């Protein structure tokens, strides 16, 4: 924890003074253009990958970058999506998966998740991705990589079930984007939304 407080001190001394005017504006005006839905994995920092500054991204991070399909009732992901679209008016939503994802590895390799029942239940939001990735395999195909891509597509499909998203899409006020970040190369590949809903 000490290193985090050291980081806060460095931020206050070396970063904040040059950005004070920006933070003063952000204190009164919050209008990010993009909702970024990524994995909780510490190796996938949205602001670093996109080189975005304070106030540019509205971020949700969940295990496996999962977005539950809309159901009645409240949950944190649904509330955040609704706020980003209906209140903040974001114009783009990115769902970003990544290489070596622990959640997708656990599913692809059928790990025993009995010791983590909440996680096992949460990962059921990737069932459609598992079904899609279970298509006939070609030799040498990386099961985890295939599931990561299928999962991004499935989460884009889930996003479209949210009323605020569906409305904004119908009014052409919003675009959905699927990305996969490759940790060792630092590259980002796109996942086609049309493939997601086909």
């Amino acid at each position: 924890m000490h290193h985090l407080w050291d980081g806060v001190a460095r931020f206050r001394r070396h970063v904040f003074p040059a950005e004070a005017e920006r933070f003063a504006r952000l204190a009164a005006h919050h209008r990010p253009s993009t909702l970024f839905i990524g994995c909780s994995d510490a190796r996938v920092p949205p602001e670093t990958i996109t080189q975005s500054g304070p106030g540019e991204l509205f971020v949700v991070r969940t295990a496996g970058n999962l977005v539950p399909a809309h159901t009645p009732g409240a949950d944190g992901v649904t509330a955040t999506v609704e706020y980003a679209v209906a209140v903040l008016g974001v114009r783009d939503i990115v769902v970003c998966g990544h290489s070596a994802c622990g959640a997708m590895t656990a599913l692809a390799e059928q790990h025993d998740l009995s010791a983590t029942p909440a996680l096992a239940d949460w990962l059921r939001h990737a069932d459609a991705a598992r079904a899609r990735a279970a298509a006939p395999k070609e030799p040498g195909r990386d099961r985890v990589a295939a599931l990561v891509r299928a999962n991004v597509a499935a989460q884009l499909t889930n996003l479209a079930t949210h009323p605020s998203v569906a409305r904004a899409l119908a009014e052409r006020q919003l675009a959905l984007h699927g990305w996969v970040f490759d940790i060792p190369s630092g590259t980002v590949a796109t996942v086609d939304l049309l493939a997601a809903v086909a």
Side-chain angles (χ1 to χ4, degrees), residues 30-33 58 80 82-91:
H30 184 216
R31 206 39 97 183
S33 63
F58 200 63
T80 303
E82 184 178 73
Y83 184 77
V85 175
V87 177
L88 295 177
V90 298
R91 302 302 301 242

Side-chain angles (χ1 to χ4, degrees), residues 109-155:
E109 297 179 356
Q110 299 180 347
H111 291 181
D112 177 8
L113 299 175
S114 59
T116 53
L119 176 62
D121 191 46
W122 174 252
L123 292 181
R124 289 193 179 100
H125 295 296
D127 284 351
R130 289 175 73 184
R132 188 174 301 196
K137 314 269 188 295
E138 58 256 16
R141 184 175 182 226
D142 181 337
R143 288 181 305 161
V144 175
L147 184 55
V148 165
R149 288 186 65 77
N151 184 55
V152 169
Q155 302 318 308

Side-chain angles (χ1 to χ4, degrees), residues 14-196:
H14 304 294
V15 176
F16 185 80
E19 295 284 342
E21 193 174 305
R22 174 188 270 190
F23 280 101
R25 279 193 315 272
L26 289 173
H29 181 77
H30 184 216
R31 206 39 97 183
S33 63
T34 303
L35 169 59
F36 189 102
I37 301 172
C39 185
S40 301
D41 193 303
R43 301 168 294 175
V44 188
E47 290 84 359
T48 301
I49 293 167
T50 62
Q51 289 298 282
S52 298
E56 293 179 36
L57 296 178
F58 200 63
V59 178
V60 176
R61 295 178 74 171
T62 68
N65 48 273
L66 299 178
V67 180
H70 183 265
T71 57
D75 68 67
V77 176
T78 297
T80 303
V81 168
E82 184 178 73
Y83 184 77
V85 175
V87 177
L88 295 177
V90 298
R91 302 302 301 242
D92 296 283
I93 301 178
V94 173
V95 175
C96 184
H98 66 94
S99 62
C101 178
M104 296 303 108
T105 299
L107 293 174
E109 297 179 356
Q110 299 180 347
H111 291 181
D112 177 8
L113 299 175
S114 59
T116 53
L119 176 62
D121 191 46
W122 174 252
L123 292 181
R124 289 193 179 100
H125 295 296
D127 284 351
R130 289 175 73 184
R132 188 174 301 196
K137 314 269 188 295
E138 58 256 16
R141 184 175 182 226
D142 181 337
R143 288 181 305 161
V144 175
L147 184 55
V148 165
R149 288 186 65 77
N151 184 55
V152 169
Q155 302 318 308
L156 290 170
T157 301
N158 284 353
L159 259 176
T161 68
H162 290 250
S164 60
V165 173
R167 260 190 315 277
L169 287 171
E171 294 168 1
R172 297 178 188 248
Q173 298 296 312
L174 181 68
L176 304 183
H177 312 274
W179 290 4
V180 175
F181 174 63
D182 183 65
I183 295 170
S185 70
T187 58
V188 174
T190 60
V191 175
D192 189 356
L193 177 58
L194 294 178

